[in-house]
Amino acid sequence: MKKIILCSFLAISILSCKKENSEVKTETITETKKDSLVETKISISVITDSLKNGEYSKEFAKYSDETIKKVAERMGFYYTIGGTGEEQLKEITSFKNDIISLYCSPGQNGPSDQHEKILLKDNNVIYLGNGFDQLTEIESQKLENEIKSKIKNFSHFSGRSESEISVKENGNYLIKFSGLTEDDAEASGGSIEISYETKDLKTYIPNTLKTKMRI
C-alpha cells in the first residue's frame, strides 16, 4: 500500500521556517481535536511541492495547484503531549477514484490512530471524515436505532477502524464501517460490518442500511 512519508521534507521545512522566515511563507491552520486547539506550523508550500513531485505525482496531475494546496493543508497538524509539542504529517495511504485516505497516530499507538477521507471533486476538497461522523445528531441516533433493531447487542460505531467511502454512479456516497457489540473489546475494531448510502453525508437513506456479523 502506497504511503507518503514526508519526514525529510518536514525536517527541511521546520529548519527553513526558523532560519529563512523571510523566504519561505509558512501558513498556520487551526482545527479542534478532542476539545484542544492544535496548530499547523509546517510550510504548506513544501508539502504541496512534495505532493506534486513525489510518489503520487501522476494522481495529482489532473488537479490544479490550488486544489493540491488544499490537500496539503489537511495533512499537517501540531499536537501536544505532556506539555511538549511536536509537528507531524498525516500520511496518504490510498488515492483512488478521487478519494484520498489520510492516516495519523499522534501517540504512536493503536488508541491514537486516526483515519479520515477527503474527496477531490471539481477541483474542490470535500472533507468526508470517516463518513458516519458527518451525520447529524438526529440521523446518527436513527441509524443506531435501526442497527439495534437488526442486531440486539449492538453497542456503538468503531471510530478506530478505517471506513470505506465510495461514490456510486447515482451520486450517492456508500459508507462502510465497523460496529461493536456489547461483547466486543474496543481494540478488536468491532465484529459488525455496517453500510448505508447517503446523498449529502448528513442524512442516510434507511432502506440502504445493511449489517452483517463477521465470522
Side-chain angles (χ1 to χ4, degrees):
M1 177 166 49
K2 288 184 177 180
K3 288 188 178 181
I4 285 184
I5 302 177
L6 302 176
C7 295
S8 59
F9 288 97
L10 176 57
I12 294 172
S13 66
I14 294 173
L15 290 174
S16 62
C17 288
K18 290 181 178 178
K19 296 181 180 180
E20 302 175 9
N21 285 330
S22 61
E23 298 180 11
V24 179
K25 182 179 179 182
T26 302
E27 302 182 20
T28 299
I29 306 160
T30 61
E31 57 183 286
T32 299
K33 291 183 181 298
K34 297 182 179 178
D35 299 324
S36 64
L37 188 67
V38 293
E39 294 185 353
T40 295
K41 297 182 179 178
I42 302 168
S43 173
I44 300 303
S45 61
V46 171
I47 304 174
T48 302
D49 288 343
S50 178
L51 294 177
K52 291 164 57 177
N53 302 321
E55 189 173 5
Y56 280 89
S57 58
K58 292 182 179 179
E59 286 87 340
F60 280 111
K62 66 179 181 179
Y63 301 102
S64 68
D65 288 352
E66 183 63 26
T67 299
I68 299 173
K69 178 182 176 183
K70 290 178 181 178
V71 173
E73 289 173 349
R74 289 221 58 92
M75 291 181 63
F77 69 97
Y78 182 87
Y79 73 99
T80 301
I81 295 180
T84 60
E86 181 177 339
E87 294 184 74
Q88 243 191 33
L89 286 174
K90 298 171 187 176
E91 297 175 359
I92 292 181
T93 57
S94 70
F95 191 174
K96 184 179 180 181
N97 298 326
D98 300 320
I99 294 179
I100 296 177
S101 299
L102 297 176
Y103 165 79
C104 66
S105 183
Q108 302 299 310
N109 52 42
S112 69
D113 286 355
Q114 299 175 24
H115 299 273
E116 64 183 65
K117 312 281 187 182
I118 54 176
L119 171 67
L120 277 56
K121 184 177 181 180
D122 299 327
N123 278 325
N124 291 316
V125 175
I126 302 171
Y127 176 67
L128 303 177
N130 57 25
F132 62 79
D133 65 354
Q134 301 301 299
L135 292 171
T136 65
E137 185 176 348
I138 293 176
E139 287 294 299
S140 181
Q141 188 60 58
K142 286 169 59 178
L143 178 61
E144 287 189 29
N145 291 339
E146 188 170 352
I147 294 173
K148 286 180 179 179
S149 71
K150 297 174 177 292
I151 300 176
K152 301 301 181 183
N153 64 340
F154 168 72
S155 176
H156 59 279
F157 306 149
S158 174
R160 175 182 294 185
S161 300
E162 184 176 10
S163 301
E164 295 180 28
I165 305 178
S166 57
V167 181
K168 303 189 65 175
E169 291 184 0
N170 61 8
N172 289 349
Y173 296 95
L174 176 63
I175 315 293
K176 296 182 179 180
F177 59 100
S178 297
L180 289 87
T181 68
E182 296 171 354
D183 300 322
D184 287 334
E186 191 70 37
S188 70
S191 59
I192 310 171
E193 295 179 6
I194 304 168
S195 68
Y196 66 88
E197 292 182 30
T198 173
K199 292 182 178 180
D200 58 3
L201 297 174
K202 298 178 181 179
T203 58
Y204 81 100
I205 304 172
N207 61 5
T208 63
L209 175 65
K210 296 181 181 179
T211 61
K212 178 183 177 182
M213 294 298 300
R214 295 191 177 95
I215 299 176

